[in-house]
Amino acid sequence: MAQTKDTSHHPWLHRFAVLTALFTLALLGVGGLVTSHGVGMAVPDWPNTYGYNMFLFPISKWVGGIFYEHTHRLVASFVGLLTAMLAVWLWVVETKGRTRKIGALVILGVLLLMGGLMGVREHKVFLGLAGVAAAGMCFSIYQFQRDGYELRWLGVLALATVILQGVLGGMRVVLYKDELGIFHATLAQLFFALICGVALLTSSWWRRNVPLSPSQTKSRSKAAAFVSRNLRSLLLATTAVILLQLVLGATMRHQHAGLAIPDFPLAYGKLWPAMDAESVMRYNQQRQEITAAHPITAFQIGLQMTHRLVAVVILIGVGWCAQRLRRELGGKHPLTRLGWFWLATILVQAALGAFTLWTNKAADVATAHVLVGALSLVTGALACIIAFRQSAPLRAAPASAAFDLTRPESGARPVAAQK
Amino acid sequence: MKTKTILAALGGLIVSLQFATAGDITGKITVSGKPPAELEIKAVASDVNCGKLHSEPVHTRFYVVNDKNELADVFVTLKGISGKSTGASAPPLIIDQKGCEYVPYIGAAQTGQKIVVKNSDPFLHNVHPTPVNKAGGNKEANMAQMAGGADLNFTFPAPENFLRFKCDVHPWMFSYINIVDHPWFAVTGKDGSFTIKNVPPGKYTIVAMHRKAAPAPAGVEKEIEVTAEGAKVDFVLEAK
Ligand code: HEM
Ligand SMILES: [Cu+2]
């Protein structure tokens, strides 16, 4: 196997990854609007739209909730296409000869297959597809770390994820499983983080800011300073808590229980709301829900209280991360700046959470809360990726050199070259 | 053969005797306290299609109450009776979609009774019942109904209170249908009154439930005795 090229030599590949990330963010926005408006089921069939092939569904019929749901499906298809292109591109850049041809053909074949499946109604086929996509995700993660962290496997991972994501979305509609929306929302956030990760790893910034060995750091730029082990753990843990928070948020949204507690900062006028059966009954009596009319439960009240408490934990965690980054790396280090940006996203996010309640869950505010939530997760994930590369101290050169992405200056990939 | 005919005749006699002596339960439901003001559903006016059908703002229908505090849309039923459904032979319950609202907002039908959903609007709705008693066999469905499209039919095999119908194209559209497995129930009219017809004489628990008025949604229970002359029972629910 011979991979001689380095992905970061491809500015257009990087730009394409950024473009895919931007469209993914837009997709998160449209998807968020679908849920915010409570119209996830506005198009009862899938993959067809009211019996039409989804790309031929007449614009005159895009009304009410159908507008959001149908737009979501179209943008999602487009992001799927971009993802397949990104996967092919990464593959072609990193391989040669037969591997290159076969891989690219396989990816294109998968894309055609997806197009072909548009006419299928059989639920079993889609369940099978979801299984294959999930297996594909596991396989590509395995290959990614086995093959010396070659980005092409992230491309394959992204493609498998987007397929699973699409099938989850569709199954949710045809199986009436609103709960699947929780996975769909969570996977969407992870997918966005993945694409942003690819964008980072293909950037010239990533290539230029190679970590140095301890002896080099003393004399060289601050950008190459090390992140201590404790701080790395803190970054990772905080990011994980944000992921948890997204899952909690998605659960609230898909139970249409965002307003299970309507007031903030108090909860039903108290620091901790009563959740006994009688109180819950009274809350339901007093609720004046215009959409998503469903009685709320004690569980859903507890869920929102947990979400609030976790928000406090995140705020402290991210604030602490930013502070520690500044101490370890200095105020000018890009990672420190990223830390401050991260803190800003969290503050905005907390404010949007509060405004979601104060506006009685205005759809645009709730959707902004989803989007900034995604940004805060991605910021944490990127900070982790950067910090883990800047881990100190580096081990003896050969072993860590295998981590070719961390050391592009080492030229050809030692691990791959050995094979 | 002969015994069978005699038995059948006897059975018929008992049934008709029962009906002959069965009485109607009547009553009136009022609400104490002041119901909160209904909210305007602003999304109706801003919807390209629905907005055209209304010159006045459309409001929620939590408390349909008149100036005498008489409360409509209360579901009244006998409690603890099951397996007596005559739904299969009962005329269908009609739900209409008109001006992007379900009519009625609150309804009731028997298990096995046909529920016919019509679309009187010149555009599409989605009819989406979301039963909770899925274990009992009530099925969720989500069906498009075009303008002038054929009526949709639903039946539910298991009892369930306030089974929600919704439309996902117009996410404010709801109708709540109570499914009962006996024929002795009613929904109060605009004047808060109800009549439950042909109740065989005996002692019963009767319950009046409203989605919002306390105690909601469990409702208020009363013990009554129905005679050949029927029975009369009033309820007071509370707006909190
Ligand atoms: C600061 C950290 C926070 C993060 C990272 C966060 C994240 C999220 C996310 C991602 C969602 C939507 C999930 C989805 O549908 O995919 C969500 C929903 C929600 N969040 Fe937060 N949130 C935070 C703080 C808060 C705060 C302080 C409040 C105020 C009480 C709040 C209130 C809500 C509500 C009410 C929902 C449900 C909205 C709906 O039903 O549409 N959040 N959160
Ligand atoms: Cu509708």
Side-chain angles (χ1 to χ4, degrees):
Chain A
M1 280 253 259
Q3 291 88 19
T4 46
K5 290 192 173 174
D6 194 297
T7 43
S8 44
H9 287 301
H10 298 265
W12 281 105
L13 173 58
H14 168 65
R15 280 170 209 151
F16 189 73
V18 171
L19 183 80
T20 310
L22 287 177
F23 270 98
T24 306
L25 188 64
L27 176 58
L28 277 172
V30 184
L33 280 174
V34 171
T35 307
S36 299
H37 284 282
V39 294
M41 307 289 274
V43 178
D45 51 345
W46 179 80
N48 280 357
T49 295
Y50 286 100
Y52 288 88
N53 175 299
M54 111 182 175
F55 301 108
L56 305 175
F57 184 60
I59 293 190
S60 62
K61 294 201 156 72
W62 300 20
V63 295
I66 301 170
F67 173 78
Y68 297 107
E69 171 66 3
H70 189 63
T71 310
H72 179 56
R73 293 185 187 188
L74 289 182
V75 178
S77 309
F78 187 64
V79 168
L81 187 68
L82 289 179
T83 307
M85 286 162 68
L86 185 64
V88 172
W89 199 332
L90 286 167
W91 189 276
V92 167
V93 159
E94 288 191 338
T95 53
K96 264 194 164 169
R98 266 187 53 192
T99 326
R100 176 190 270 184
K101 276 202 197 99
I102 294 175
L105 283 177
V106 167
I107 297 175
L108 289 175
V110 168
L111 193 62
L112 284 178
L113 182 70
M114 290 303 118
L117 284 176
M118 289 290 303
V120 174
R121 296 293 184 81
E122 201 61 50
H123 292 180
K124 277 198 202 106
V125 174
F126 291 115
L127 281 178
L129 193 61
V132 172
M137 287 169 68
C138 298
F139 177 71
S140 43
I141 292 171
Y142 172 74
Q143 287 291 338
F144 177 62
Q145 53 86 29
R146 206 195 70 140
D147 262 5
Y149 302 97
E150 289 176 356
L151 289 188
R152 60 194 169 119
W153 289 113
L154 291 189
V156 176
L157 175 61
L159 185 61
T161 309
V162 88
I163 291 172
L164 179 63
Q165 177 70 353
V167 175
L168 272 180
M171 296 315 276
R172 187 223 134 158
V173 170
V174 296
L175 297 180
Y176 309 114
K177 286 265 183 287
D178 221 355
E179 304 87 302
L180 280 181
I182 301 170
F183 295 98
H184 186 74
T186 309
L187 197 59
Q189 303 258 3
L190 291 174
F191 176 76
F192 180 52
L194 174 62
I195 299 293
C196 289
V198 171
L200 172 69
L201 298 178
T202 50
S203 68
S204 61
W205 182 88
W206 179 259
R207 228 168 58 79
R208 276 187 280 110
N209 288 282
V210 174
L212 307 170
S213 67
S215 57
Q216 285 174 297
T217 5
K218 301 235 160 58
S219 52
R220 298 274 291 271
S221 82
K222 281 264 188 173
F226 298 123
V227 178
S228 74
R229 203 181 154 159
N230 280 345
L231 181 47
R232 273 181 281 144
S233 310
L234 182 63
L235 285 168
L236 194 61
T238 309
T239 307
V241 176
I242 293 184
L243 182 61
L244 169 79
Q245 179 78 326
L246 304 184
V247 176
L248 292 176
T251 310
M252 285 196 279
R253 279 169 59 78
H254 288 277
Q255 300 200 349
H256 302 289
L259 295 176
I261 307 171
D263 50 341
F264 182 82
L266 291 181
Y268 288 106
K270 294 194 186 140
L271 272 181
W272 193 264
M275 296 191 211
D276 56 293
E278 193 157 324
S279 304
V280 173
M281 196 178 93
R282 188 161 41 81
Y283 302 150
N284 274 313
Q285 235 164 267
Q286 289 166 353
R287 256 159 73 85
Q288 287 184 297
E289 63 282 44
I290 289 182
T291 58
H294 242 337
I296 53 147
T297 60
F299 169 77
Q300 293 165 340
I301 297 173
L303 194 61
Q304 204 198 90
M305 286 315 286
T306 313
H307 190 73
R308 292 179 182 201
L309 289 181
V310 173
V312 175
V313 172
I314 291 172
L315 201 58
I316 295 171
V318 174
W320 192 9
C321 283
Q323 182 61 23
R324 290 273 311 256
L325 282 169
R326 194 185 61 83
R327 272 225 313 269
E328 285 189 15
L329 304 174
K332 294 212 173 62
H333 192 280
L335 205 47
T336 309
R337 294 202 177 131
L338 196 63
W340 292 124
F341 174 75
W342 198 16
L343 185 59
T345 63
I346 296 299
L347 289 171
V348 172
Q349 178 68 352
L352 284 171
F355 272 101
T356 300
L357 300 180
W358 291 336
T359 57
N360 205 8
K361 220 181 97 181
D364 38 3
V365 179
T367 308
H369 188 63
V370 177
L371 285 182
V372 177
L375 274 184
S376 69
L377 176 72
V378 163
T379 310
L382 297 187
C384 285
I385 296 176
I386 298 170
F388 274 75
R389 179 162 77 156
Q390 311 257 345
S391 55
L394 287 179
R395 272 167 284 148
S400 60
F403 199 96
D404 69 301
L405 278 167
T406 64
R407 325 201 60 212
E409 95 282 21
S410 63
R413 292 146 195 222
V415 162
Q418 278 159 21
K419 277 186 280 177
Chain B
M1 190 60 188
K2 216 175 182 181
T3 40
K4 257 193 182 164
T5 351
I6 293 170
L7 270 179
L10 242 153
L13 194 68
I14 291 170
V15 168
S16 54
L17 260 176
Q18 220 184 22
F19 275 122
T21 59
D24 295 351
I25 307 174
T26 57
K28 183 157 279 217
I29 295 178
T30 49
V31 63
S32 70
K34 191 174 156 38
E38 299 294 325
L39 304 178
E40 182 187 344
I41 306 175
K42 297 207 175 82
V44 178
S46 57
D47 186 282
V48 276
N49 288 326
C50 306
K52 283 184 203 139
L53 303 176
H54 294 274
S55 47
E56 303 277 294
V58 174
H59 289 91
T60 51
R61 295 176 279 178
F62 297 127
Y63 286 92
V64 180
V65 63
N66 63 16
D67 47 13
K68 284 184 242 157
N69 293 330
E70 293 161 340
L71 185 61
D73 282 350
V74 182
F75 171 58
V76 188
T77 181
L78 296 184
K79 214 182 157 183
I81 301 172
S82 65
K84 295 262 179 19
S85 177
T86 58
S89 59
L93 169 75
I94 312 273
I95 304 178
D96 197 3
Q97 299 166 95
K98 216 172 168 180
C100 296
E101 288 188 290
Y102 274 113
V103 186
Y105 178 57
I106 304 291
Q110 295 189 59
T111 50
Q113 182 179 349
K114 208 194 249 183
I115 298 176
V116 175
V117 181
K118 293 179 166 317
N119 181 4
S120 299
D121 283 334
F123 44 80
L124 159 147
H125 289 291
N126 271 355
V127 184
H128 183 181
T130 59
V132 177
N133 189 0
K134 288 188 178 163
N138 290 347
K139 285 209 177 67
E140 186 162 356
N142 186 16
M143 286 146 99
Q145 192 173 29
M146 302 292 166
D151 293 348
L152 297 174
N153 295 321
F154 299 90
T155 51
F156 297 96
E160 176 168 344
N161 289 334
F162 297 111
L163 190 163
R164 182 180 70 164
F165 278 67
K166 63 176 190 152
C167 167
D168 299 273
V169 181
H170 309 113
W172 60 85
M173 285 178 65
F174 298 107
S175 177
Y176 297 86
I177 306 299
N178 295 279
I179 309 293
V180 226
D181 59 354
H182 59 75
W184 301 296
F185 59 87
V187 175
T188 57
K190 288 237 149 58
D191 62 351
S193 70
F194 68 92
T195 305
I196 300 178
K197 287 202 150 80
N198 290 327
V199 184
K203 290 193 168 153
Y204 297 96
T205 306
I206 185 169
V207 51
M209 300 174 219
H210 186 261
R211 277 196 72 239
K212 291 288 172 187
V220 174
E221 288 181 11
K222 289 197 171 176
E223 305 299 323
I224 54 165
E225 178 154 15
V226 179
T227 64
E229 279 80 52
K232 199 173 164 341
V233 54
D234 295 338
F235 292 87
V236 180
L237 300 182
E238 194 183 349
K240 276 192 181 163

